[in-house]
């Protein structure tokens, strides 16, 4: 050990002799300059935090699933640009995306996969039919789950403290659709078709209740499935009842070809549908047959939100045209991150209680949850398709965001 230490001792002695020989003392400034590293604060340690996202990325509604995922990815990118620190550590968020193919069984498989991957929270699923069975897996794991698009009331009626949604549910939307058909459109008779999914059937049930409550008569109730493309048999049956309005509880992949076949059969009834069919893809699939369609979306239109136009510009610059739910996916991610910041922890056990206390100014408006996990003051907007575009007719409900959001989207979007 003496041999190892001697060179350092000799060097120190030599330096002392040199200083004495020069007759000078080391100036304080020189000493400070000699050790700048000692004055610099250490950089915070980096912590990787995984957030899961699930939607159908293959199949007939993959365009909607990708739209959701892109909204979530943009939120993660914007959050990382903020250099967020939690519990003294710089956080880098990562999005783990999974494809549930809009299939309930696959939905539970990928839900368990995300749990095993140690995600701290999940945004999804897109469909009610996959969201509901997957929710029990997240609940057992104690993981917060925020759906940006599942609207069936059963999702938040299970008593799970982990289940939340950032858009209005089917009770709210169905009431608006059924009432609009009977009152605003003056429909006396209505035919209803649903795709037998948890979303389609659930929404159709609520539309039927509201239509009847407002004096309309349901003259036909037919069903198909979410993979069907030929509807002429049920449309022929409906044509015989001569309804004023036809309502579809289903997605745009079903609504597009159905509208074309209605035109071919000479059915002139007013076609209405909910948020699953209220998309640019419906217009693309149905072409001119989509003109005049009345549809609804849960939420307020972009031009009525303080941050809506900015989000629209940023998102379209980065990913292209918005389909339906990407702004809600964005807000769902930001709500999870906001709860982590308030809890000063990324541990689901510690930050889950903060999710329920959320009061967040998002791009879709004010996000606050009731005791079940449903969004408070959920808005519904009615649109009409005119000249190949969705034109706003009216909006009901909704809590506006503050002019200066807590976590606004990034100012630049990369292509």
């Amino acid at each position: 050990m003496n041999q190892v230490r001697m060179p350092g001792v000799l060097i120190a002695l030599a330096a002392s002799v040199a200083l004495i020989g020069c007759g000078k003392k080391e100036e304080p400034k020189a000493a400070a300059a000699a050790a700048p590293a000692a004055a610099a604060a250490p950089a915070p340690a980096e912590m990787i935090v995984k957030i899961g996202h699930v939607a159908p990325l293959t199949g007939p509604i993959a365009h909607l699933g990708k739209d959701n995922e892109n909204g979530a990815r943009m939120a993660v990118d914007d959050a990382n640009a903020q250099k967020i620190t939690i519990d003294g550590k710089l956080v880098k968020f990562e999005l783990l995306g999974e494809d549930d193919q809009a299939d309930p069984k696959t939905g539970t498989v990928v839900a368990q996969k995300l749990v095993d991957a140690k995600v701290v929270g999940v945004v999804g699923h897109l469909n009610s039919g996959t969201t509901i069975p997957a929710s029990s897996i997240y609940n057992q794991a104690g993981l917060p789950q925020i759906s940006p698009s599942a609207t069936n009331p059963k999702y938040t009626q299970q008593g799970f403290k982990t289940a939340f949604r950032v858009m209005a549910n089917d009770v709210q939307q169905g009431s608006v659709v059924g009432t609009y058909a009977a009152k605003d459109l003056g429909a006396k008779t209505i035919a209803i078709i649903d795709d037998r999914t948890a979303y389609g059937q659930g929404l159709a049930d609520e539309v039927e209740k509201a239509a009847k409550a407002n004096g309309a008569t349901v003259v036909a109730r037919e069903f198909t499935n979410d993979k069907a493309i030929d509807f002429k048999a049920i449309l022929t049956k409906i044509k015989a009842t001569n309804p004023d309005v036809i309502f579809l509880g289903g997605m745009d992949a079903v609504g597009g070809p159905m509208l074309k076949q209605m035109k071919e059969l000479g059915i002139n009834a007013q076609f209405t549908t909910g948020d699953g069919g209220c998309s640019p893809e419906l217009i693309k699939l149905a072409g001119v047959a989509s003109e005049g369609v009345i549809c609804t979306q849960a939420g307020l239109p972009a031009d009525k939100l303080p941050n809506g136009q900015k989000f629209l510009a940023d998102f379209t610059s980065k990913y292209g045209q918005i389909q339906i739910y990407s702004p809600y996916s964005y807000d769902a991610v930001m709500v999870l991150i906001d709860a982590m910041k308030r809890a000063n922890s990324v541990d689901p056990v510690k930050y889950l209680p903060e999710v329920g206390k959320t009061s967040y100014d998002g791009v879709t408006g004010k996000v606050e949850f009731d005791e079940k996990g449903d969004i408070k003051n959920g808005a519904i907007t009615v649109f009409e398709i005119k000249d190949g575009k969705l034109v706003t007719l009216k909006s009901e409900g909704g809590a506006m965001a503050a002019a200066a959001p807590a976590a606004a989207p990034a100012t630049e979007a990369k292509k």
Side-chain angles (χ1 to χ4, degrees):
M1 289 183 66
N2 289 340
Q3 290 180 343
V4 173
R5 294 174 59 189
M6 277 301 292
V9 173
L10 290 173
I11 291 171
L13 286 171
S16 299
V17 172
L19 284 172
I20 293 169
C22 293
K24 294 181 181 179
K25 294 183 180 179
E26 185 179 0
E27 295 296 325
K29 288 183 180 180
E46 187 175 273
M47 173 171 51
I48 304 297
V49 175
K50 301 174 184 177
I51 295 175
H53 179 274
V54 189
L57 303 178
T58 53
I61 59 170
H63 58 286
L64 298 179
K66 196 62 183 175
D67 184 58
N68 277 27
E69 186 179 81
N70 286 340
R73 288 198 182 281
M74 189 164 121
V76 165
D77 289 345
D78 288 353
N80 285 335
Q82 295 174 28
K83 304 294 184 183
I84 295 169
T85 58
I86 296 175
D87 193 24
K89 298 182 180 67
L90 178 65
V91 179
K92 180 180 180 182
F93 295 99
E94 291 184 355
L95 192 75
L96 298 187
E98 292 291 342
D99 176 13
D100 66 11
Q101 302 170 33
D103 174 66
K105 191 174 292 185
T106 305
T108 59
V109 171
V110 297
Q112 188 60 54
K113 185 177 178 182
L114 288 176
V115 170
D116 294 342
K118 306 299 183 185
V119 299
V120 300
V122 176
V123 172
H125 301 204
L126 186 152
N127 309 77
S128 295
T130 54
T131 300
I132 294 170
S135 64
S136 63
I137 293 173
Y138 300 130
N139 181 60
Q140 290 169 11
L143 289 180
Q145 174 193 9
I146 304 180
S147 176
S149 49
T151 54
N152 191 297
K154 292 179 182 177
Y155 168 53
T156 52
Q157 291 175 352
Q158 302 172 94
F160 297 159
K161 297 299 184 182
T162 53
F164 303 88
R165 72 172 119 227
V166 289
M167 65 156 40
N169 65 28
D170 288 339
V171 175
Q172 296 163 304
Q173 185 174 190
S175 176
V176 170
V177 177
T179 302
Y180 190 89
K183 287 191 171 181
D184 296 67
L185 298 178
K188 301 299 182 185
T189 56
I190 298 176
I192 297 176
I193 307 169
D194 72 72
D195 65 2
R196 277 305 187 259
T197 63
Y199 161 72
Q201 186 174 357
L203 181 58
D205 288 345
E206 296 300 330
V207 170
E208 182 173 2
K209 290 177 189 176
K212 288 179 176 178
N214 286 279
T217 300
V218 176
V219 294
R221 182 72 192 256
E222 300 291 337
F223 64 89
T224 180
N225 66 74
D226 60 348
K227 306 294 190 299
I229 56 174
D230 184 356
F231 311 102
K232 289 187 177 177
I234 59 175
L235 289 174
T236 299
K237 288 172 66 178
I238 286 173
K239 183 179 180 180
T241 68
N242 192 31
D244 296 322
V245 167
I246 294 175
F247 173 79
L248 168 67
M251 309 301 281
D252 50 22
V254 170
M258 184 178 287
L259 280 164
K260 282 188 171 182
Q261 289 164 41
M262 281 177 58
K263 192 173 183 68
E264 291 169 7
L265 292 170
I267 298 175
N268 297 316
Q270 172 68 59
F271 186 88
T272 63
T273 189
D275 57 300
C278 202
S279 70
E281 187 70 9
L282 181 81
I283 300 168
K284 178 181 175 182
L285 292 171
V288 294
S290 67
E291 282 294 303
V293 164
I294 302 294
C295 62
T296 54
Q297 288 184 10
L300 294 170
D303 60 1
K304 290 195 175 182
L305 296 171
N307 305 310
Q309 293 286 11
K310 175 168 176 37
F311 175 84
L312 179 65
D314 289 349
F315 184 92
T316 53
S317 174
K318 194 170 187 178
Y319 298 112
Q321 187 176 36
I322 291 173
Q323 289 297 319
I324 307 174
Y325 307 118
S326 52
Y328 297 91
S329 284
Y330 184 97
D331 275 355
V333 170
M334 288 303 196
V335 165
L336 288 176
I337 294 173
D338 178 63
M340 294 178 209
K341 288 164 66 178
R342 285 184 285 114
N344 196 33
S345 176
V346 299
D347 182 350
V349 174
K350 295 181 180 178
Y351 89 81
L352 174 59
E354 293 298 325
V355 179
K357 301 174 188 175
T358 291
S359 181
Y360 180 79
D361 292 326
V363 299
T364 62
K366 173 74 77 174
V367 179
E368 295 179 326
F369 301 112
D370 65 17
E371 65 281 358
K372 291 181 180 178
D374 283 314
I375 191 168
K376 292 181 180 178
N377 303 308
I380 303 294
T381 300
V382 182
F383 296 89
E384 181 179 1
I385 297 176
K386 289 183 179 180
D387 301 323
K389 296 179 180 178
L390 290 165
V391 178
T392 303
L393 296 180
K394 65 184 293 187
S395 296
E396 295 187 15
M400 299 298 286
T411 53
E412 294 185 5
K414 299 177 182 178
K415 291 185 179 180

